Amino acid sequence: MPSPDTLSSTANNAVISASNLTKKYKDFAAVDGISFDIAPGESFGFLGPNGAGKSTTMRMIGAVSTRTSGDLSVVGLDPNQFGPEIRSQLGVVPQEDNLDSELKVRDNLIVYGRYFGLPHSYLGPKADELLEFAQLGEKAKSRVDDLSGGMKRRLTIARALINNPRILMLDEPTTGLDPQARHILWDRLFRLKEQGTTLVLTTHYMDEAEQLCDRLVVIDKGTIMAEGSPSSLIKKYSTREVLELRFGSDRNADVAQQVEPLGERIEVLPDRILVYSDNGEVVLQKVTDLGLNPLTSLVRRSSLEDVFLRLTGRSLIE
Amino acid sequence: MAGGLKPRRFGGLYVAEHRLKVMRGYLQTMVATGIGTPLLYLYALGVGLATLVDANMANGGSGGSEVSYLIFVAPALLCSAAMTTATEEFSYPIMLGFKWNPTFFGMNAAPLQGGQIINGVTYAVIVRLVAQSIVYYLFMLLFGAIPGPFGWLVIVVGVLTGMSLGALLMAYATHLKEDKGQFNYIMRFGVIPLTLFSGTFFPLSTLPVWLHWIGWISPLWHGTELSRVLSYGYQEPAWLSVVHVAYLVLLIVVGWWLARRLAVKRLNR
């Protein structure tokens, strides 16, 4: 697996390269001049809240949405000119499920493979192999509508792999799935990552970004706020640990002043106070020593959620 | 680069393959309507109602034609059936692909392009229209409703008639963001009146002159008149037959072209 440090300086052999990429809808800039490079085999994420411009960026990379300005190169080609050529090398898992509900599970794979001009002799065995990979072997002849949400998402991933893509693009892959379904999906994606598939994904789940991404950009209101590996971002923008204190919604603001000097910095949220420090337990002891008795307290590791909060002053999931 | 070659060249055919596979799921219904419709209509109108019409004509009634009612009405029924099928195929299934079950976006995320998606959908419907019109034609033969040697050409005219209205409808459905009953409205206040006032069951000339315009703009009237010329040698000036063909082809070209443009626009978000 390539290390994040080498990845950020691999613009020359990047499979995706964007410079000042912009997409405007009338006066509204959904994507506002972002630049990034994604190296082969890298697992790259766009982390940001809903409406940040992640999906629009994905559609431009996927050569289905024309950019307003800036440069974009995908597998060395310009999406404005070489849409079909680029798309023939991508696997796309959209946010909105678009499996054909009028066809059976296995037929969905075959039919999709035909769009790439692949012959039936290849597609038959390939579909069976992918159904096994997606743990849907027994569902081959089922109707799509009979699958659970997690199964549908796995089928969509299997479908996206039918052409052995160089890049697999996943837009909010686990949104709306229950925890168990998410973990099964992550496991499958992790296997692909191990096999060297380049993954590009968007998510507003920090745990997903931490699990799957070698490197990510934090994106908000169409611009990139920060870039790096999950651990480097946490190191740069947050402390090692966070102490979460709840004094009740009436008292949080009052207590905040007293708590503030105890850590490196604090964030006061409507329901809790976050105290950033390298040692949460020590801070908690100091809070207790001051005679401030929180209703609940929790010491945890810093996460990308904290990075986002620091960068934007807002929570990821609002 | 090679990966884009085949999809660029054959993309429309891949879509058609997909659509025909979907249609196979409804094969029983299609066969049942494909056989049932001509059988019922030809029998009810061409044989049943015809006894009244032909008796009236024999007694010197006005406005009729020089052939039996069966021969008169049969080509019109074929064209009308083609138009109904095209209306069905180019309305909800298009909305389905763009909105309710957005498979067209899936195709576009693969190497296919908007225009190819429209082409593929159209090819598949043409296959259905040809099959349906052939079955209709065979029933017409069976009922003795095709006296002329060029009668088989009504199959082509049927497909043209269905496609002419269908292509326009496809463009509309490609543009439509939400169905608030528009298709139902088109069916009730568009297709059905067209069927009734396009010279299908009685010649346009029997209507008051101020209603004739319905026929002139109706693809069904043009298709029906043309199919009568081919089926039993209905007499009309040659230039008018040329106008029929030109009008039907024009509607198809405009609708198809517009649908392709609108599809590209809708898919590129």
Side-chain angles (χ1 to χ4, degrees):
Chain A
M1 197 184 306
S3 83
D5 296 333
T6 55
L7 290 170
S8 54
S9 58
T10 48
N12 291 339
N13 68 348
V15 281
I16 301 170
S17 180
S19 169
N20 217 12
L21 184 61
T22 302
K23 175 81 183 186
K24 284 188 177 168
Y25 296 100
K26 291 182 183 159
D27 290 337
F28 170 69
V31 175
D32 198 2
I34 63 174
S35 304
F36 57 87
D37 292 302
I38 302 173
E42 186 177 12
S43 187
F44 187 90
F46 293 95
L47 177 72
N50 290 329
K54 304 180 305 265
S55 296
T56 309
T57 306
M58 290 292 260
R59 281 201 295 271
M60 285 193 279
I61 297 173
V64 292
S65 178
T66 318
R67 64 184 183 271
T68 308
S69 62
D71 289 322
L72 179 63
S73 155
V74 183
V75 293
L77 301 169
D78 181 344
N80 283 1
Q81 279 181 49
F82 298 102
E85 286 72 19
I86 290 172
R87 299 198 297 268
S88 72
Q89 300 182 61
L90 302 181
V92 178
V93 181
Q95 193 172 348
E96 189 185 8
D97 158 41
N98 60 26
L99 294 161
D100 192 330
S101 58
E102 294 180 296
L103 293 176
K104 300 248 165 69
V105 165
R106 187 171 180 272
D107 286 342
N108 258 282
L109 300 184
I110 306 269
V111 153
Y112 205 79
R114 293 289 294 149
Y115 300 161
F116 295 83
L118 300 167
H120 284 282
S121 56
Y122 162 84
L123 288 170
K126 183 71 182 175
D128 295 331
E129 175 199 322
L130 287 172
L131 286 175
E132 285 308 317
F133 170 77
Q135 296 166 307
L136 291 168
E138 291 174 5
K139 299 281 181 185
K141 292 202 160 70
S142 301
R143 285 159 40 89
V144 167
D145 282 341
D146 293 338
L147 301 183
S148 69
M151 287 175 177
K152 278 185 188 167
R153 205 59 64 88
R154 295 208 300 274
L155 179 59
T156 309
I157 291 174
R159 189 182 73 169
L161 295 170
I162 196 86
N163 59 322
N164 288 324
R166 282 178 69 184
I167 305 167
L168 181 63
M169 315 225 324
L170 305 116
D171 196 358
E172 301 280 352
T174 64
T175 299
L177 300 187
D178 61 55
Q180 193 193 359
R182 294 181 78 198
H183 281 283
I184 297 175
L185 205 79
W186 284 347
D187 169 60
R188 297 293 104 176
L189 293 177
F190 210 82
R191 279 171 202 238
L192 290 172
K193 190 161 130 55
E194 284 176 331
Q195 289 163 16
T197 309
T198 306
L199 299 183
V200 180
L201 63 119
T202 74
T203 182
H204 62 264
Y205 295 126
M206 59 209 165
D207 51 348
E208 186 160 279
E210 286 181 28
Q211 286 259 353
L212 294 174
C213 300
D214 300 324
R215 193 161 62 93
L216 55 92
V217 288
V218 178
I219 185 164
D220 186 39
K221 293 176 183 162
T223 56
I224 291 177
M225 312 292 291
E227 177 184 345
S229 66
S231 59
S232 73
L233 283 171
I234 291 168
K235 207 168 170 180
K236 187 168 177 187
Y237 294 100
S238 191
T239 51
R240 208 171 76 90
E241 291 185 344
V242 187
L243 169 64
E244 293 197 5
L245 298 169
R246 284 186 162 85
F247 293 94
S249 45
D250 298 338
R251 279 188 69 208
N252 282 342
D254 300 337
V255 177
Q257 270 190 330
Q258 289 174 268
V259 173
E260 191 162 13
L262 304 181
E264 286 187 24
R265 61 185 188 90
I266 64 166
E267 291 280 354
V268 185
L269 303 179
D271 63 333
R272 68 210 136 114
I273 301 173
L274 306 181
V275 188
Y276 290 91
S277 153
D278 283 336
N279 193 330
E281 292 294 346
V282 170
V283 178
L284 180 58
Q285 187 57 52
K286 288 180 186 168
V287 170
T288 316
D289 291 346
L290 283 174
L292 302 168
N293 293 318
L295 300 174
T296 63
S297 62
L298 166 77
V299 175
R300 62 167 174 80
R301 300 285 293 247
S302 266
S303 74
L304 287 169
E305 174 80 33
D306 301 298
V307 173
F308 191 79
L309 196 61
R310 172 81 187 270
L311 289 168
T312 68
R314 291 181 295 117
S315 173
L316 259 175
I317 302 170
E318 293 179 317
Chain B
M1 293 287 275
L5 211 62
K6 277 180 137 186
R8 268 196 195 272
R9 199 169 291 170
F10 304 114
L13 295 177
Y14 300 146
V15 177
E17 191 180 319
H18 179 167
R19 302 294 289 186
L20 290 170
K21 199 158 192 157
V22 170
M23 280 187 196
R24 216 165 60 185
Y26 304 99
L27 195 62
Q28 280 182 323
T29 320
M30 283 186 195
V31 170
T33 46
I35 292 174
T37 307
L39 193 63
L40 291 174
Y41 272 84
L42 285 172
Y43 188 77
L45 299 175
V47 179
L49 183 66
T51 53
L52 280 175
V53 178
D54 291 336
N56 183 37
M57 293 301 297
N59 291 331
S62 64
S65 79
E66 64 274 23
V67 290
S68 75
Y69 189 62
L70 171 69
I71 291 174
F72 169 79
V73 83
L77 291 176
L78 180 145
C79 291
S80 167
M83 194 172 81
T84 307
T85 298
T87 311
E88 189 185 299
E89 289 284 355
F90 285 123
S91 52
Y92 294 108
I94 302 291
M95 276 300 274
L96 190 72
F98 277 115
K99 189 176 170 73
W100 299 318
N101 180 193
T103 50
F104 295 165
F105 287 93
M107 295 175 183
N108 190 225
L112 307 183
Q113 301 167 81
Q116 294 178 315
I117 296 170
I118 292 297
N119 287 356
V121 169
T122 309
Y123 299 156
V125 177
I126 290 175
V127 168
R128 185 179 168 191
L129 287 177
V130 169
Q132 176 187 311
S133 299
I134 288 175
V135 172
Y136 223 113
Y137 170 73
L138 293 176
F139 273 101
M140 283 161 75
L141 281 182
L142 201 70
F143 276 78
I146 301 266
F150 298 107
W152 61 272
L153 282 170
V154 296
I155 296 168
V156 180
V157 179
V159 174
L160 283 178
T161 309
M163 277 302 303
S164 58
L165 188 74
L168 290 178
L169 190 59
M170 171 167 65
Y172 177 66
T174 303
H175 170 72
L176 194 65
K177 298 290 182 293
E178 203 170 342
D179 175 42
K180 293 178 181 165
Q182 287 96 329
F183 290 135
N184 209 352
Y185 196 84
I186 288 170
M187 198 67 196
R188 284 186 191 184
F189 301 105
V191 176
I192 294 176
L194 277 189
T195 311
L196 294 174
F197 298 106
S198 293
T200 318
F201 304 111
F202 46 85
L204 200 61
S205 57
T206 56
L207 285 174
V209 177
W210 57 272
L211 277 180
H212 283 192
W213 65 271
I214 301 180
W216 300 334
I217 62 159
S218 162
L220 184 57
W221 180 72
H222 290 276
T224 296
E225 293 290 283
L226 190 61
S227 65
R228 283 183 179 135
V229 170
L230 296 164
S231 158
Y232 66 85
Y234 168 67
Q235 294 295 313
E236 68 171 15
W239 64 265
L240 191 53
S241 298
V242 173
V243 168
H244 296 322
V245 177
Y247 186 68
L248 295 177
V249 171
L250 177 75
L251 293 190
I252 295 171
V253 170
V254 169
W256 199 326
W257 174 79
L258 209 57
R260 283 175 53 103
R261 275 184 69 104
L262 291 166
V264 170
K265 194 173 159 205
R266 187 162 185 176
L267 292 168
N268 183 354
R269 290 181 295 171

